[in-house]
Amino acid sequence: MQQIVNFLFKNSITLLFLLLLGISLSFTIQSHAYHRSRTITSANAVTGYVYGQINKVEMYFSLSEENQKLASENALLKNMLFNKKDTVLATVPPSLGIYKVIPGKVIANSYSLQENYLTINKGTADGVKEDMGVVSSLGVIGYIEKTSKGYSTIISVLNKKFRLGAKIKKNNHFGTLTWNGKSTGFAQLVDVPRLATVVKGDTIVTGAESTIFPENIPIGTIEKVYIDKKTNYYTLDIRLFNDMTSLGYIYIMENKDREEIQQLQQATVPPNE
Amino acid sequence: MNSTVIINILRFILLLAIQVAVLNRLDLFGFLNPYPYILYILLYPVNGNKALLLVSAFFMGLFIDMFLNTGGPHAAASVTLAFLRPTFFKFSFGVSYEYQTIKINDRLSPERFSFILISVITHHLILFLLEVFRFNLILTALLHTLYTTLFTLVICIITIYLVKPAKT
């Protein structure tokens, strides 16, 4: 017994180090495991408050830019209001009825890592829940990962864990939107079938099978076309409409029918063994 | 003794605040951010309480992780640096370092430079390997380590020089 105590006492610093290292390594491994698995996020009161204060100051530097964006969006909405017959406007999905929109603001943004997250100033108190889609006036940004009372974190399009069903607007061919971690201006649409006709400059929008985003939310345009040698599918470089390095006001999309759809799908498909 | 404690607490808060408010958003060339918050660990008193250093370094890293949404690599790297600090002292200043009064924040000598350099490299190597966490991206991690080490080193040395007159 005495020897055990002596041993613990003599090596207390090493043991403390191993304990702390173990904790931080487990946090790290956990954060890389799968999405919504992290414990250490900026969706908490302290970091949210600090980022909110910093953002208040920063906002003054981009006031005119933000005003410009809001004004052009207002013009678009007014345009639709006054020309109600014109129903082919691309930016408004026809299925908007089942979606509730919550406005919010990005208070912290990262884009230099392999796994990037945003922090916004809306949380559970405003009705934000996990797995809600987030868009700006230009297009898709990401979806909610974690929420606290007043703040939430978003998995950005620029995150290697991000997956989203998307399609080519012209001919409805589906693919999966991912990011290869290289450039902040481009994402990749993978697994596009070879029989699809892909033309440089075509618009990519969100697909219909997603319960997170409404259909036909713009994402970007085709910039480059590759053929994946292993799978014989197309891989497309997509130039994003959003400048992910400067984001301001955003909209959170709540699908009111999401639970119903998921329950139905679970009831239909037997769980995989 | 008492003033040392207060100086260290202030240094902790100040470095954390500067890191979060300014340096994390530099993004030089799109990806370069210096991490001079490790100065807290380097400038901690040579004969100070080791357990306290480990715990405070852990929380320093954890706060940075929280603000950056990175998960845990900053905490792991900081704790490791805090633990290895005495070894680096021995390496740079000779075996009997505890008997001389070493001051890191003083005129830049080869010993001090080598100590800061080896600390920064160790910290950044662990940080970027854990942050990338993929074997096929090891080369990217090493390149990031190289560039960021240079950047952090410059910022650290400048900071030490600038702040020096304030200390008594």
Side-chain angles (χ1 to χ4, degrees), chain A residues 52-67 105 249:
Chain A
Q53 295 301 315
I54 294 172
N55 185 254
K56 266 188 198 165
V57 178
E58 261 189 347
M59 229 181 52
Y60 283 104
F61 298 114
S62 60
L63 273 182
S64 62
E65 214 174 289
E66 279 303 323
N67 277 342
K105 204 170 88 201
Y249 288 92

Side-chain angles (χ1 to χ4, degrees), chain A residues 29-39 145-146 161:
Chain A
I29 291 165
Q30 199 185 28
S31 78
H32 287 288
Y34 53 93
H35 96 127
R36 230 193 303 129
S37 57
R38 299 173 309 138
T39 29
E145 197 210 33
K146 283 235 171 181
K161 288 193 245 168

Side-chain angles (χ1 to χ4, degrees), chain A:
Chain A
M1 190 62 203
Q2 184 69 34
Q3 273 181 333
I4 295 174
V5 172
N6 273 345
F7 173 79
L8 288 179
F9 191 72
K10 216 162 59 180
N11 295 301
S12 58
I13 292 294
T14 314
L15 290 173
L16 181 67
F17 163 67
L18 289 177
L19 175 73
L20 293 176
L21 188 67
I23 295 172
S24 43
L25 280 182
S26 71
F27 281 151
T28 311
I29 291 165
Q30 199 185 28
S31 78
H32 287 288
Y34 53 93
H35 96 127
R36 230 193 303 129
S37 57
R38 299 173 309 138
T39 29
I40 304 298
T41 76
S42 64
N44 63 53
V46 180
T47 52
Y49 175 80
V50 172
Y51 273 147
Q53 295 301 315
I54 294 172
N55 185 254
K56 266 188 198 165
V57 178
E58 261 189 347
M59 229 181 52
Y60 283 104
F61 298 114
S62 60
L63 273 182
S64 62
E65 214 174 289
E66 279 303 323
N67 277 342
Q68 193 71 44
K69 270 188 207 164
L70 292 178
S72 59
E73 199 189 357
N74 269 342
L76 192 76
L77 295 174
K78 282 255 166 61
N79 193 11
M80 279 186 313
L81 192 68
F82 297 144
N83 306 299
K84 268 194 177 160
K85 277 180 214 154
D86 187 4
T87 50
V88 285
L89 274 166
T91 41
V92 169
S95 55
L96 200 65
I98 61 163
Y99 283 92
K100 194 181 137 198
V101 179
I102 307 163
K105 204 170 88 201
V106 174
I107 56 172
N109 187 0
S110 84
Y111 42 83
S112 54
L113 307 171
Q114 297 291 313
E115 284 164 12
N116 294 299
Y117 298 90
L118 316 170
T119 313
I120 55 166
N121 64 347
K122 288 288 151 81
T124 45
D126 309 285
V128 177
K129 289 186 214 101
E130 283 164 3
D131 280 338
M132 283 185 180
V134 180
V135 302
S136 76
S137 54
L138 296 174
V140 169
I141 289 176
Y143 48 84
I144 305 282
E145 197 210 33
K146 283 235 171 181
T147 55
S148 70
K149 201 160 158 261
Y151 303 94
S152 315
T153 51
I154 303 173
I155 285 205
S156 144
V157 175
L158 305 182
N159 186 319
K160 289 205 152 179
K161 288 193 245 168
F162 184 88
R163 292 281 180 283
L164 175 69
K167 65 180 186 186
I168 301 164
K169 196 180 166 194
K170 226 195 275 170
N171 51 24
N172 279 335
H173 277 292
F174 284 99
T176 308
L177 190 73
T178 58
W179 188 53
N180 64 6
K182 288 204 178 113
S183 164
T184 55
F186 298 93
Q188 277 66 40
L189 192 69
V190 298
D191 294 345
V192 180
R194 283 290 293 280
L195 51 95
T197 47
V198 286
V199 182
K200 219 171 122 179
D202 274 2
T203 309
I204 305 293
V205 295
T206 52
E209 85 271 41
S210 166
T211 56
I212 296 178
F213 289 101
E215 201 184 348
N216 291 329
I217 298 266
I219 296 170
T221 55
I222 298 175
E223 178 80 12
K224 250 186 190 170
V225 181
Y226 306 97
I227 295 165
D228 196 327
K229 291 219 173 71
K230 274 178 254 162
T231 56
N232 254 353
Y233 281 108
Y234 280 130
T235 296
L236 313 176
D237 264 3
I238 311 295
R239 181 187 286 276
L240 297 170
F241 286 134
N242 266 318
D243 180 3
M244 295 302 288
T245 59
S246 91
L247 294 171
Y249 288 92
I250 46 95
Y251 306 101
I252 304 148
M253 301 279 177
E254 178 182 11
N255 186 343
K256 291 176 199 155
D257 294 344
R258 181 152 196 261
E259 263 179 42
E260 193 183 328
I261 296 170
Q262 281 187 331
Q263 271 173 14
L264 188 65
Q265 283 174 344
Q266 265 170 20
T268 319
V269 184
N272 295 332
E273 301 296 287

Side-chain angles (χ1 to χ4, degrees), chain B residues 57 71 83:
Chain B
F83 180 71

